[in-house]
Amino acid sequence: MPETKTAENNLIWTNVVTPEVSKVAETLKEFRGRYKYNLMDVNVRAFNAEVPQVWQWDDHEIVNNWSDSKDLSTDTRYTVKDVPLLVARGATAFNEFSAQRPHASEESGRIYRKISYGPLLDVFVLDMRSYRGPNTANLQTEQSAETAFLGNEQVAWLEENLKNSTAVWKVIAADMPIGLNVGDDPVNNPPQRWEAIANGNDGPALGRELEMAGLLSYIKKESIKNLVWLTADVHYAAAHYYDPEKAQTKDFNGFWEFVSGPLNAGSFGPNSTDGTFGPQVVFYKAPPAGQVNLSPYAGLQFFGEVNIDKNSKEMVVDLKDINGDSVYSKTLIAE
């Protein structure tokens, strides 16, 4: 993180810099320093004091786009090239600073879990990072360890807990969107590798999409109603409706996915969509074409707010901007 950076309209963005954020994190001290750095901000401390939090992780808690295929051998920023070692150190710091109870002893740092909020809401917190196979071209025709994204054990857990949930609304808090094409640094990783579920192929499910197709088919077969997916990762705001009538893999019930972010990082997007599950882009707000990594000066920072009416049981999802103004709102009626 540099001390200054030229931002939009030649404005100068100024950062407070500590030794731990002036280079990539490699040592446990540096990973811990990343979390301590945020606590220097009075706004973050006030937020932590007032707002209950459910933490997930994605790639940047360790290193960009990490998976079993991550190779740091030519990345001169890193003296530690051992990705599993970086994962262990980053996971230690994450678990020390995140507000969650340790899991059972067989996997004390497990992140995926269900959090119940009474008869109206269950939240299913996923981990789309720890159990994935390597980032690949993602076009395999059969499921295997290489195509895993959630992994067999987490999928089985999710299916069982969704089936047994008696809450009106089941919110799936997912690290990454389902139908957006998220590439894994094609400049340095040719040919194209994929970081998320989608693979840039609009045909029937392949690669990691096979796991998702199985999950969505199970949800339909078991008549599990009122599922909403909430996600982030792509650094802009969007609302997607997945329509089986417009999909290539059709064995699922239609559902909504809402994307928000970044809260206070560079803005990117929009990403292209993959037609396998028929995502319809109902709304998006992102940087203009050709502009990337915009600072908060540009005003393209977003967060989401979800409210459930206890009487009507309607769920209202708002995507809000840096000023707290709603840029998109959707009311969902409980089945």
Side-chain angles (χ1 to χ4, degrees):
M1 186 182 296
E3 292 185 1
T4 61
K5 188 175 179 65
T6 302
E8 300 71 52
N9 300 317
N10 288 318
L11 295 170
I12 301 299
W13 184 268
T14 302
N15 293 309
V16 175
V17 176
T18 66
E20 289 84 1
V21 302
S22 63
K23 63 178 292 296
V24 295
E26 299 178 89
T27 67
L28 180 56
K29 180 177 185 292
E30 288 166 349
F31 279 108
R32 286 168 170 161
R34 289 281 172 154
Y35 294 96
K36 292 178 181 179
Y37 174 83
N38 293 335
L39 298 177
M40 296 170 63
D41 189 330
V42 63
N43 302 295
V44 171
R45 295 199 303 273
F47 183 86
N48 290 351
E50 298 174 18
V51 181
Q53 295 171 47
V54 178
W55 282 35
Q56 287 171 268
W57 74 348
D58 198 10
D59 54 337
H60 286 281
E61 280 76 10
I62 309 296
V63 60
N64 185 51
N65 293 357
W66 63 273
S67 75
D68 285 348
S69 60
K70 188 67 179 181
D71 181 3
L72 295 174
S73 61
T74 61
D75 193 329
T76 57
R77 299 171 301 166
Y78 285 87
T79 58
V80 178
K81 309 292 187 178
D82 186 337
V83 174
L85 178 58
L86 294 174
V87 171
R89 290 170 176 173
T92 295
F94 174 87
N95 286 311
E96 288 174 346
F97 283 84
S98 63
Q100 63 187 34
R101 294 181 180 92
H103 191 64
S105 58
E106 72 274 9
E107 194 178 8
S108 60
R110 196 182 94 176
I111 292 167
Y112 70 87
R113 59 204 184 277
K114 183 187 85 169
I115 301 175
S116 296
Y117 291 87
L120 290 177
L121 174 66
D122 280 343
V123 176
F124 300 85
V125 182
L126 300 187
D127 180 353
M128 291 177 159
R129 187 58 54 175
S130 301
Y131 312 103
R132 66 166 61 194
N135 290 352
T136 67
N138 202 21
L139 295 172
Q140 298 89 343
T141 57
E142 295 183 1
Q143 281 188 260
S144 66
E146 190 175 62
T147 67
F149 198 65
L150 297 173
N152 292 337
E153 187 172 339
Q154 186 175 189
V155 169
W157 166 87
L158 180 59
E159 290 177 345
E160 179 182 7
N161 281 273
L162 284 172
K163 181 180 179 179
N164 294 334
S165 173
T166 59
V168 174
W169 291 100
K170 294 90 175 169
V171 164
I172 299 181
D175 314 355
M176 308 190 79
I178 297 168
L180 292 182
N181 293 314
V182 183
D184 182 4
D185 191 11
V187 174
N188 295 310
N189 292 322
Q192 179 67 65
R193 297 195 313 207
W194 296 99
E195 161 70 354
I197 298 167
N199 54 23
N201 182 314
D202 290 328
L206 295 170
R208 291 168 174 170
E209 294 171 335
L210 295 167
E211 182 187 85
M212 181 57 61
L215 172 61
L216 296 179
S217 176
Y218 176 88
I219 290 168
K220 177 182 178 180
K221 182 184 72 174
E222 297 295 336
S223 298
I224 300 168
K225 306 297 185 183
N226 305 322
L227 265 73
V228 177
W229 292 68
L230 303 181
T231 188
D233 184 73
V234 291
H235 294 235
Y236 68 98
H240 304 141
Y241 182 72
Y242 288 80
D243 187 346
E245 296 300 317
K246 298 179 180 178
Q248 294 298 308
T249 294
K250 299 176 179 292
D251 188 23
F252 66 95
N253 293 325
F255 63 94
W256 284 87
E257 174 188 69
F258 298 96
V259 185
S260 65
L263 192 62
N264 199 50
S267 301
F268 292 86
N271 291 51
S272 61
T273 57
D274 182 306
T276 298
F277 299 112
Q280 305 302 299
V281 181
V282 180
F283 168 84
Y284 79 90
K285 193 166 184 180
Q291 298 186 34
V292 297
N293 199 21
L294 301 189
S295 81
Y297 285 142
L300 294 172
Q301 320 306 118
F302 304 100
F303 65 96
E305 181 178 317
V306 181
N307 290 280
I308 301 173
D309 186 279
K310 67 178 181 180
N311 297 315
S312 70
K313 299 180 174 57
E314 291 179 347
M315 174 183 282
V316 180
V317 181
D318 281 279
L319 300 176
K320 297 192 171 188
D321 65 14
I322 196 169
N323 298 313
D325 296 324
S326 180
V327 296
Y328 177 79
S329 184
K330 179 66 181 180
T331 299
L332 303 177
I333 309 300
E335 293 188 51

